[in-house]
Amino acid sequence: MKQYAVTIAGGGSTYTPDMLEMLCLVREHFPLRRVVLYDIDAERQSHIGRFGEILFREYYPGLEFFYTTDPQKAFADVDFVLVQIRPGGLAMRELDEKIPLRRGIIGQETCGPGGFAYGMRSVPAMIELVRQIRRYSPEAWILNYSNPAAIVAEATKRVFPDDFRLINICDMPISIMDIFCPLAGGRKRHDIEPRYYGLNHFGWFTAMYDKKTGEDVLPEILAKLQKGNCDRELGFSGKNDAYWNFTFRHLEKMVQDFPHSLPNTYMQYYLYPRTMVAHSDPAYTRANTVMDGREKRVKQYCDEIAELGAIRGTRFDLDQKYSAEPKRGTDGGFESATIAHNDAHATYIVELAMSIAQNRNDVFLIITENNGVVPNLSDGMMLEVACRVGARGAEPFRLGCAGAFEKGLLEGQYAYERLTVDAALEGSYQKALMALTASRTVGDAELARTLLDEYISANGAHFPALK
Ligand code: NAD
Ligand code: G6P
Ligand code: MN
């Protein structure tokens, strides 16, 4: 079997250790010759790099591993680049969230004004990163998680229109499936082929087909969500933090109000902004939870292993933590890596890379250009939809027309996203003002101007210059 070279850009990400362990778990199925971590922050990445050295030495004999801040070393002769960068870091995420929340407006990583500010940083950083990768590996597959994925995807479509090896993805619908598919007779995500459409963090499941029988089991799932108290059957509250428990329970409320489809959890910010603001603390936002939780936990995990100098035979032993041979689902899904406690994240991107490498044409939700997939939505819209993905890239399944409710919401959101990308690419204050005004989470031009000016001063050189 061919052996692949993989680089993780954003090597210092809190999600990297899970990905590295996942790559070890699937070594029989997706053999690698080299793994490289790349980051612009050498110190942050070094903690994960030292963990990686021990991990691969013990669990992947013969594999070359190193970590670097040099793009040439990182991207030369590479087959897959898995991207998870956060321009401005969690420190800027905190400001993204707090600036609007102080004024009673949604303060969130990717939704509303916070997503706008994050987008203004991510668009130039991602374009520069893709250019660097393409300089050294014109045919590498770039599988991107970096947020805000909707805005990043709109920008990469415009700057790299023919680059079918550049694929933007999100793990949220996958996590939703992991958690809620069991409501349909105990099925697992890998038993189901979904139909879903929308912009990233702004979409709906319209069907969930049982792979064996073709039966649509979504109505069964929706009926249970409508009744409520699904946690009794699913027990997700034992596995997630308070934010995610609130969010997964809120899905029941959304289905009770709009029972015809299963929304992405992020719809809560657009459909219930008042509830979400009331539920937020402007002095301690999600960024604070992540900095005090996942970020510390991951660093501590890596540092403890570096101090021990070993994983095998210690309490971190992978053979204890995971079953010796990774459990394969019916279509090759793997059990999850769990350091970051985001079960789907590492699994999903590795499954995607394998489907491409082996031309398996499995079905994934991918953010791709509409062009008639949903005929009554804008052609250029970057839709998140079910696609077959193999060696030729992503091929979407056509869907029917969007209903008036979804179409109206999506076109409004897409106008905001396009204007944000315009603002970032053109350096236009006017477009930025239009973007924030168009966002249904702001909806007031005076407020939009105030938020924009506050973001410009908080971001300094992180933002493109706006004239
Ligand atoms: P993090 O801050 O811990 O990690 C991001 C890393 O990227 C940092 O080490 C940082 O130094 C590095 N970085 C920043 N700019 C860079 C650049 N230009 N080039 C190379 N490296 C750069 O963040 P995290 O919480 O681990 O999340 C990582 C990213 O993954 C974020 O963009 C997050 O929003 C995204 N994410 C997306 C999904 C999804 O569904 N699409 C899911 C989870 C996380
Ligand atoms: C989900 C979303 C990601 C988002 C993450 C935030 O996985 O799909 O796009 O980045 O949640 O999680 P956090 O724990 O950082 O708030
Ligand atoms: Mn996402």
Side-chain angles (χ1 to χ4, degrees):
M1 228 193 284
K2 182 176 170 185
Q3 295 186 314
Y4 297 92
V6 171
T7 294
I8 299 180
S13 159
T14 55
Y15 295 101
T16 300
D18 275 346
M19 263 183 208
L20 300 183
E21 292 193 356
M22 180 58 59
L23 292 173
C24 287
L25 295 179
V26 301
R27 62 190 170 263
E28 303 291 323
H29 311 281
F30 184 49
L32 304 179
R33 58 190 160 95
R34 187 174 69 231
V35 173
V36 177
L37 305 186
Y38 168 77
D39 205 289
I40 51 171
D41 183 338
E43 203 288 320
R44 187 181 179 88
Q45 178 171 251
S46 68
H47 297 268
I48 295 171
R50 284 195 283 273
F51 155 75
E53 282 174 340
I54 297 165
L55 177 77
F56 289 116
R57 186 177 71 221
E58 293 189 344
Y59 290 90
Y60 222 127
L63 177 116
E64 181 190 2
F65 172 79
F66 62 88
Y67 50 103
T68 181
T69 55
D70 178 343
Q72 181 170 6
K73 287 193 186 130
F75 303 129
D77 180 32
V78 64
D79 301 298
F80 288 92
V81 184
L82 315 183
V83 187
Q84 41 191 3
I85 64 169
R86 185 187 288 285
L90 288 160
M92 288 312 298
R93 174 179 178 176
E94 182 181 7
L95 291 175
D96 290 350
E97 293 168 348
K98 289 184 176 174
I99 285 171
L101 262 184
R102 284 199 287 258
R103 298 182 181 278
I105 301 295
I106 290 294
Q108 210 280 326
E109 180 194 23
T110 63
C111 301
F116 160 83
Y118 192 6
M120 294 297 280
R121 298 191 299 274
S122 284
V123 166
M126 270 304 296
I127 290 169
E128 171 61 14
L129 181 66
V130 172
R131 290 209 169 111
Q132 283 176 335
I133 297 168
R134 285 288 171 255
R135 190 169 310 147
Y136 302 111
S137 280
E139 301 209 327
W141 290 89
I142 302 174
L143 310 183
N144 177 54
Y145 263 138
S146 310
N147 270 320
I151 286 163
V152 167
E154 172 66 19
T156 56
K157 171 201 76 179
R158 291 200 210 168
V159 182
F160 310 101
D162 302 318
D163 196 335
F164 70 93
R165 293 191 182 87
L166 165 50
I167 294 183
N168 294 292
I169 54 169
C170 169
D171 60 22
M172 193 70 247
I174 307 315
S175 293
I176 292 172
M177 289 181 70
D178 275 339
I179 293 171
F180 293 99
C181 283
L183 290 176
R187 286 178 177 81
K188 299 231 161 56
R189 166 166 71 92
H190 286 101
D191 300 325
I192 302 285
E193 192 180 293
R195 292 294 180 272
Y196 176 99
Y197 79 101
L199 293 154
N200 177 242
H201 290 186
F202 201 111
W204 297 266
F205 287 94
T206 55
M208 289 196 187
Y209 297 119
D210 181 291
K211 282 184 185 166
K212 286 206 190 89
T213 65
E215 178 196 358
D216 182 7
V217 299
L218 186 59
E220 197 179 333
I221 294 174
L222 290 173
K224 285 199 177 166
L225 284 164
Q226 248 186 308
K227 274 201 203 126
N229 273 324
C230 290
D231 188 36
R232 251 186 296 169
E233 181 174 340
L234 298 172
F236 56 74
S237 60
K239 298 179 206 144
N240 297 286
D241 63 29
Y243 166 80
W244 285 108
N245 287 331
F246 171 87
T247 297
F248 293 136
R249 275 195 217 105
H250 211 188
L251 206 55
E252 292 176 350
K253 163 79 177 146
M254 289 199 268
V255 172
Q256 283 153 11
D257 287 342
F258 308 102
H260 58 287
S261 58
L262 179 62
N264 191 301
T265 46
Y266 283 98
M267 288 310 295
Q268 67 184 340
Y269 292 103
Y270 303 100
L271 302 180
Y272 308 92
R274 283 190 296 188
T275 305
M276 296 313 292
V277 168
H279 191 72
S280 306
D281 177 358
Y284 194 86
T285 58
R286 181 73 196 159
N288 299 109
T289 308
V290 171
M291 289 187 276
D292 291 339
R294 183 172 75 240
E295 188 182 39
K296 286 207 169 80
R297 191 170 67 239
V298 167
K299 182 166 176 288
Q300 191 183 343
Y301 180 86
C302 292
D303 288 351
E304 278 183 46
I305 286 171
E307 204 156 296
L308 288 167
I311 298 174
R312 264 195 210 287
T314 73
R315 66 192 180 87
F316 302 106
D317 200 316
L318 292 200
D319 297 337
Q320 313 260 326
K321 188 163 153 189
Y322 307 103
S323 43
E325 173 69 3
K327 285 183 219 121
R328 289 186 71 112
T330 45
D331 78 337
F334 294 100
E335 66 182 319
S336 306
T338 52
I339 305 157
H341 290 262
N342 179 332
D343 288 357
H345 188 86
T347 321
Y348 192 58
I349 201 164
V350 171
E351 287 171 359
L352 178 62
M354 286 174 60
S355 190
I356 291 167
Q358 296 157 10
N359 195 27
R360 291 159 57 142
N361 289 297
D362 291 335
V363 175
F364 294 85
L365 297 181
I366 303 290
I367 305 168
T368 189
E369 200 167 348
N370 180 23
N371 286 338
V373 170
V374 178
N376 64 341
L377 295 177
S378 295
D379 272 348
M381 190 182 279
M382 291 306 282
L383 278 188
E384 191 167 357
V385 283
C387 297
R388 291 210 173 278
V389 192
R392 294 179 312 283
E395 297 176 316
F397 293 97
R398 280 183 69 89
L399 299 169
C401 285
F405 180 63
E406 289 81 3
K407 178 174 156 68
L409 288 169
L410 283 168
E411 292 290 357
Q413 177 73 0
Y414 185 48
Y416 143 76
E417 289 171 1
R418 283 166 71 174
L419 288 162
T420 302
V421 173
D422 289 347
L425 296 181
E426 297 166 18
S428 165
Y429 182 95
Q430 185 63 44
K431 293 284 180 69
L433 181 61
M434 287 159 79
L436 276 171
T437 307
S439 172
R440 62 184 281 114
T441 59
V442 180
D444 178 279
E446 292 295 347
L447 189 52
R449 189 184 290 281
T450 303
L451 293 175
L452 177 56
D453 291 342
E454 288 185 2
Y455 275 134
I456 290 171
S457 80
N459 274 273
H462 286 301
F463 260 22
L466 297 181
K467 284 190 227 71

